[in-house]
Amino acid sequence: MTMSNIRGMRGFLASSIGVTCAAALALPLTPPATAATARPAPAAEGAAHPTDPAPLSGRTQSLPLDPLAPRARDRSAAPTSAAELRLPRRAVRHFSLVGVVWDDPDTELHGRVQVRTRAVGTRTWSGWQDIETHNADHGADRGMAERTSDHVRGATAPLWVGDSDGVEVRVRAVTYDPAGRSAVPAPAPLPSGLRLELVDPGDAAPPPPSLPVDAARGGTLGAEASAASAASADNAGLAPVGVTEIPALSRRQTEQELLTLRSAELTEQQKAKPYIGPRPRIVTRRGWGADEKLREKRFVYTKKVKVAFVHHSASGNNYSCSQAPSLIRSIYRYHVKSMGWRDIGYNFLVDKCGNIYEGRAGGVAKPVMGAHTLGFNTKSMGIAVLGSYGATKPSAAAVKAVARLTAWKLGLHGMNPRSKTYLKSAGSNLYRKGKKVRLNVISGHRDGFATECPGRRLYGKLGSARSKAARFQGR
C-alpha cells in the first residue's frame, strides 16, 4: 500500500470515528480560537478539519485552556480561573505527544496537570495520566540569547501517548505537604496563557539531495535541503554526508580518528596512550527524520566537554524502540515550536534498546552548546534517556549505551569518566552564578539543579555507567 493510500485511509478512519464519538459524547470538533496572551502564542499549524492529514514533517495544535465552569447545581458560582483550568473532552486532529505551555518561562506551575486521550481507531479513553510540571531546570542558561528571546515559554515536560485523536485536560493549582501525601493550596496562582500543545510527529522529513561537502556548504540548494545538508556536513569527518547513521568503530580506528580530529590539542603522552572508548553507532538527525527547517540555522559551540549530564526525557515509558524516531521528532518539535528553543535541547538521546541518536545539530564530535542543564550548559553535554525513571528501572542496554557514548565523547576531550572536575555555574537553584562547582565527569541532572531528573532509578545506575565508561576507555 502506498503512503498516499495509507494517509487517505488514516484520514477516512479518523473522520468516521471522530463523527461517531462526537455524536455519542457531544464533543466539539473544531478547536477554539487561540486566546490572546501577553507573549505570542504558538501557532496552531493548520486550522482545517480535525481529520485532515498532517504534513509529512508534523504539526502542532495549540489549544487554550479555559476556567473550570460552575457545576450545574450552582450556576451562580464564579469560575475558579486562578485555581483550575481545563479542556473538556473533545475530538482533535491526530497527535502522539502532549504538553502544556504558558507565557513566562520564569514562572513555575505549582500544580497538577493531567490528561486523558483516545487512541485512534477506538472509542476507548485512557485513564488520567500525570504530566511532569517541573521542567524549567532544562533549558539555556540565563542571559543567553536562547533563554531571553520573546519566543521562549514556560512548559511542562512532554508526554508520549501514541497515535490519538481525542483529548481531555485538567490543570489544578495545588501543592503537597513536605511528606508528599496530601494536597494543600498552591502558593501561587496558575501561570497566565496556559495552552495545550498536541504534537503530531508526522513522517520522517524527505532526505536532501546527496551532495559533496563543499556543495552542501555552498548555498546552492533550496533552504530546506541546504539546512539538512549543513547539519549532515558537520559530521563529514566521521561519515559521508547524508548518511542515516554514523557506524561504530574499533578501538584502533577510534584512536586513529582522535589523532585526526584533535592532534594539535593532544600531549605526546596522550598521543602515545589515548584513553578513549570505541566510537559507538549513532543514528544521525537524518536517520530519525529531523525537519531541519524548524531549527535556527546557526550552530553554537562551547569550548570543550568536561562533564556529561544524564537526563531522562520524563515522557513516559509507553513507547516501542521502533517508535523512538517519532518520539524524538515530537520532542524536537515541542522544544522548538512550543517552547521557543533554537533546536532540540539535548546533545544526544538514548532509547530503551540502547540505540544512540544525535540531538542538537552541529556535529556529534564537536562541543555543541545544548539547552539541558540550566546553569551548566557551558563545557558540558546532555544525554537524555527516553522514558521516565523515577519508579521504573532503566534497561541494561540503555545504561550500557550511556557508558559507550560517554567513553567516546569524553575521551575526545581527555576526560576520565571516573574522575571529578569543576564547572562554573551560570546560576541555578543550587549554585549561585560564578561559583565553581566540583562535579562528577558523568553527573546526573540533579547534581547541578534541585530536580528529580534523571529519576531515582536512573540516577542510581550512574556509578555503573562511570565504571563501564572507564573500562571502555582502557582505564
Side-chain angles (χ1 to χ4, degrees):
M1 184 177 292
T2 66
M3 180 59 69
S4 60
N5 289 337
I6 292 172
R7 282 276 179 182
M9 183 170 290
R10 169 174 158 171
F12 173 77
L13 290 174
S15 177
S16 303
I17 294 166
V19 172
T20 302
C21 293
L25 300 172
L27 305 181
L29 286 174
T30 304
T34 302
T37 60
R39 289 175 180 263
E45 299 171 36
H49 193 276
T51 55
D52 285 352
L56 286 177
S57 59
R59 173 173 51 198
T60 302
Q61 302 170 70
S62 184
L63 308 178
L65 302 183
D66 299 319
L68 181 65
R71 294 183 180 181
R73 62 175 180 272
D74 186 14
R75 295 290 185 185
S76 63
T80 55
S81 58
E84 187 163 358
L85 298 175
R86 67 192 295 256
L87 183 77
R89 184 184 294 191
R90 65 178 58 201
V92 292
R93 293 184 292 257
H94 286 229
F95 68 97
S96 295
L97 180 138
V98 302
V100 170
V101 301
W102 54 91
D103 295 337
D104 187 355
D106 293 319
T107 298
E108 290 190 42
L109 194 162
H110 296 283
R112 189 176 190 185
V113 179
Q114 294 180 299
V115 61
R116 297 178 65 194
T117 57
R118 182 182 63 196
V120 168
T122 75
R123 297 186 182 183
T124 303
W125 287 76
S126 71
W128 287 105
Q129 300 183 74
D130 284 292
I131 298 178
E132 174 58 56
T133 59
H134 299 292
N135 196 45
D137 45 330
H138 300 77
D141 295 336
R142 293 184 176 94
M144 298 290 292
E146 186 173 2
R147 175 77 179 184
T148 57
S149 164
D150 287 340
H151 300 295
V152 178
R153 307 171 190 92
T156 67
L159 178 68
W160 176 262
V161 294
D163 197 8
S164 306
D165 62 3
V167 69
E168 180 180 4
V169 176
R170 61 191 184 196
V171 182
R172 290 182 288 169
V174 297
T175 188
Y176 294 89
D177 62 21
R181 289 190 293 267
S182 58
V184 297
L190 293 171
S192 63
L194 283 162
R195 297 178 295 280
L196 175 68
E197 302 288 284
L198 304 175
V199 181
D200 183 340
D203 298 320
S210 296
L211 289 178
V213 175
D214 55 349
R217 294 185 183 278
T220 59
L221 307 176
E224 181 177 350
S226 179
S229 294
S232 183
D234 273 281
N235 290 317
L238 312 182
V241 174
V243 298
T244 58
E245 64 178 59
I246 296 168
L249 296 182
S250 68
R251 177 182 297 281
R252 180 59 182 162
Q253 290 171 322
T254 304
E255 291 174 353
Q256 292 174 341
E257 180 182 77
L258 173 64
L259 294 175
T260 300
L261 293 174
R262 308 185 69 86
S263 179
E265 304 167 37
L266 300 177
T267 65
E268 291 304 317
Q269 183 177 358
Q270 288 173 324
K271 292 177 181 179
K273 179 57 178 177
Y275 290 105
I276 185 169
R279 189 183 76 193
R281 170 183 171 271
I282 301 172
V283 178
T284 64
R285 290 173 63 93
R286 180 178 174 183
W288 55 260
D291 180 354
E292 299 294 355
K293 68 179 181 292
L294 291 182
R295 62 170 176 83
E296 290 190 19
K297 294 180 181 178
R298 190 170 57 95
F299 304 140
V300 178
Y301 297 98
T302 184
K303 291 183 178 180
K304 64 179 299 185
V305 176
K306 296 176 64 179
V307 174
F309 284 104
V310 178
H311 305 255
H312 66 174
S313 62
S315 51
N317 301 310
N318 296 323
Y319 74 93
S320 65
C321 292
S322 64
Q323 292 174 319
S326 294
L327 173 53
I328 296 171
R329 290 199 303 277
S330 297
I331 294 173
Y332 170 45
R333 175 169 280 273
Y334 185 68
H335 281 183
V336 175
K337 301 295 290 186
S338 299
M339 298 179 66
W341 293 359
R342 63 178 298 114
D343 194 350
I344 193 170
Y346 307 111
N347 298 104
F348 297 93
L349 303 99
V350 173
D351 68 23
K352 64 178 71 174
C353 292
N355 297 304
I356 299 169
Y357 302 85
E358 177 184 14
R360 181 162 287 208
V364 296
K366 298 180 180 180
V368 178
M369 174 79 81
H372 48 82
T373 307
L374 180 61
F376 293 97
N377 289 301
T378 299
K379 298 183 181 179
S380 73
M381 70 174 184
I383 304 167
V385 180
L386 297 172
S388 300
Y389 297 102
T392 301
K393 181 180 177 181
S395 69
V399 175
K400 184 177 180 180
V402 169
R404 287 181 61 84
L405 174 59
T406 53
W408 171 68
K409 187 63 181 279
L410 292 171
L412 288 174
H413 296 271
M415 300 304 297
N416 181 347
R418 280 204 188 101
S419 68
K420 294 179 182 289
T421 191
Y422 284 91
L423 291 183
K424 182 183 291 187
S425 173
S428 75
N429 64 357
L430 276 181
Y431 302 106
R432 61 173 173 79
K433 183 176 180 179
K435 181 177 177 60
K436 290 186 177 180
V437 182
R438 191 166 185 255
L439 295 161
N440 286 304
V441 168
I442 298 178
S443 285
H445 185 181
R446 64 176 63 183
D447 294 324
F449 199 102
T451 174
E452 291 299 313
C453 185
R456 177 176 58 86
R457 301 298 295 273
L458 178 54
Y459 189 76
K461 291 293 183 181
L462 295 188
S464 174
R466 294 181 193 110
S467 298
K468 284 184 172 68
R471 286 198 296 272
F472 284 134
Q473 286 191 347
R475 296 183 186 270

